[in-house]
Amino acid sequence: MREAHDTSGSLTNRSITVTGFVLNEAQGVDLGRIVIICCAADAQLARIHLRGPAAARTAGLPDNTWLRVEGQVTPARGNRIRPHPDAGGHRATRIDAPANPYAYPR
């Protein structure tokens, strides 16, 4: 979510760890998380496209499989086909769904 609105590029090529669920798309695997800013009425899906070794390891996993992915952020390309950022994942680990599946940014 932060990268999608970051005009300064503060996350570009930084190592990150993200947790979310698998979304199988025609262009590959995305990692999604429902983000709530204030209340359920403003909930929205944040997603990051996986590439690299993590993408290869997650291909074929069912939708809604929870993962923790470590990698680096590549900024969104700003096009209508893929307006969200990519993560060149080095490691993808299956995890149990969290007790609270929603993310609340600070």
Side-chain angles (χ1 to χ4, degrees):
M1 188 93 178
R2 177 177 154 192
E3 173 61 33
H5 300 285
D6 180 17
T7 57
S8 69
S10 66
L11 289 177
T12 300
N13 297 320
R14 287 188 57 190
S15 294
I16 61 166
T17 300
V18 292
T19 301
F21 50 87
V22 169
L23 296 164
N24 286 293
E25 300 291 339
Q27 300 85 13
V29 177
D30 288 357
L31 193 66
R33 190 80 186 249
I34 303 296
V35 179
I36 297 176
I37 305 297
C38 175
C39 61
D42 71 8
Q44 55 187 297
L45 176 63
R47 59 173 61 204
I48 190 163
H49 184 70
L50 300 181
R51 58 181 175 74
R57 283 192 287 276
T58 58
L61 289 176
D63 283 341
N64 300 316
T65 300
W66 281 83
L67 302 171
R68 178 176 296 112
V69 176
E70 298 172 36
Q72 289 190 320
V73 175
T74 301
R77 292 180 181 84
N79 62 41
R80 285 178 274 158
I81 295 171
R82 183 154 303 285
H84 43 275
D86 290 350
H90 307 296
R91 184 177 321 182
T93 307
R94 278 180 94 153
I95 60 171
D96 291 332
N100 183 354
Y102 305 106
Y104 301 90
R106 297 178 213 168

